[in-house]
Amino acid sequence: AGLWSALLCALSAILIYFTPYALLETVQSFWILFLFFALQAALRKKRLFLWCGAGLLLGFSILTRGNTWCFLPVVFCAVFYVERRNWKKALLPLLLFIVFTLLPQLPFAAYNTFKTGKLSGPSTGGAVLCIGNNPESAPGGLDIPYPPTYEVWMKDEKKIPISVRITDWFLREPAAFLELQFNKFLLFWDSTEWPNNISEYNAGKSSLMRTFRFLPTGFLIMLALAGGFRGCYRRMFLRRKEFLLLWGFILFYALSVSAFYILARFRLPVIPLLCVSGGVFLAQFLRRMKMRRFFHYLLILLLAAGFAYFAYPVYSTAYEPALMRSFRPAGVNSVLDSFFRNTVLIQDHTQRIRGGWGS
């Protein structure tokens, strides 16, 4: 299984495309994979210094991108599950883990607090939150130029924080807000790549990339989902802490990215973990087994392929239009309060990036 996982990761097209550009997401993929294996060692050997090291790794990952705070509840669940017979044994490792997670962030948090005059963490994500959580937001990709609502919200960010704006929109249109979050989460598992500045077109300039066809992300997601479906079917999350940790990391990372918006590079850091899940499934699928079990694995693989390649297109074409008409009978109403002289922009029900939004 380890060899299959490594092979999938080495042949991943998106990992190869992005490596020469030295993006934060490439570094974060290293921290996340390192953290995953460090936590396995800490859970297995139960040495306090391993928990300190794992905490440092999470701290460095958070400095790279703050959304990896999402792994903290997964770690808590895994530790309490392992020590469920005597939960008091979990307290000291978790305390050390939290302390060493905070240590690398303290200098940056202190500097930001001094500069802003208020308690601040090492990083903020106001602009990214604004792009993916306003009434005009598209679930995937970047809509250039940015929609008018984004310009209004960012102009008055110091007077009205982005979090307040998002909360206000949620209270005004809760169904539309929740649909957007679900839309983004479903799009995370879709085979489509949403490029930003780097795409397969850039990679096509390389003779190596033109000659060899590396593994697309959709194929890796399909194998990973097959591994996840099989694990759930066999109830491995109740019997194997490794499975619980692996899919806890994957699901919580998907939720953290869905809080912003979906891009190919935002999905990249968790690709190695998807390769781990896919490698385990391949190893089990290709070993010798009875014909009945072979068809069982094949059925799981077909189910995963259907989800990765067809779930989002079916939802966006067959169900989303009806939901949007129900949630937004008057279309997308954007209150452009201070930027466009207190006007209201009324648009079509769906996102411009997918063919809607006629003013």
Side-chain angles (χ1 to χ4, degrees), residues 35 91 156 191:
L35 173 65
L91 298 180
D156 293 338
S191 60

Side-chain angles (χ1 to χ4, degrees), residues 5 28-44 50-51 53-55 57-58 61 71 74-75 78 97 240-250 269-270 272-277 280:
S5 301
Q28 193 183 26
S29 67
F30 165 76
W31 290 127
I32 291 175
L33 191 61
F34 198 179
L35 173 65
F36 174 70
F37 285 107
L39 284 170
Q40 285 194 72
L43 288 168
R44 185 173 62 254
L50 291 175
W51 285 106
L57 290 174
L58 180 57
S61 179
F71 296 144
V74 180
V75 176
F97 181 77
R240 297 292 298 272
K241 58 182 179 295
E242 295 86 359
F243 183 84
L244 176 65
L245 192 66
L246 174 64
W247 271 95
F249 266 38
I250 293 173
V270 82
L273 294 186
L274 294 177
C275 291
V276 172
S277 180
V280 171

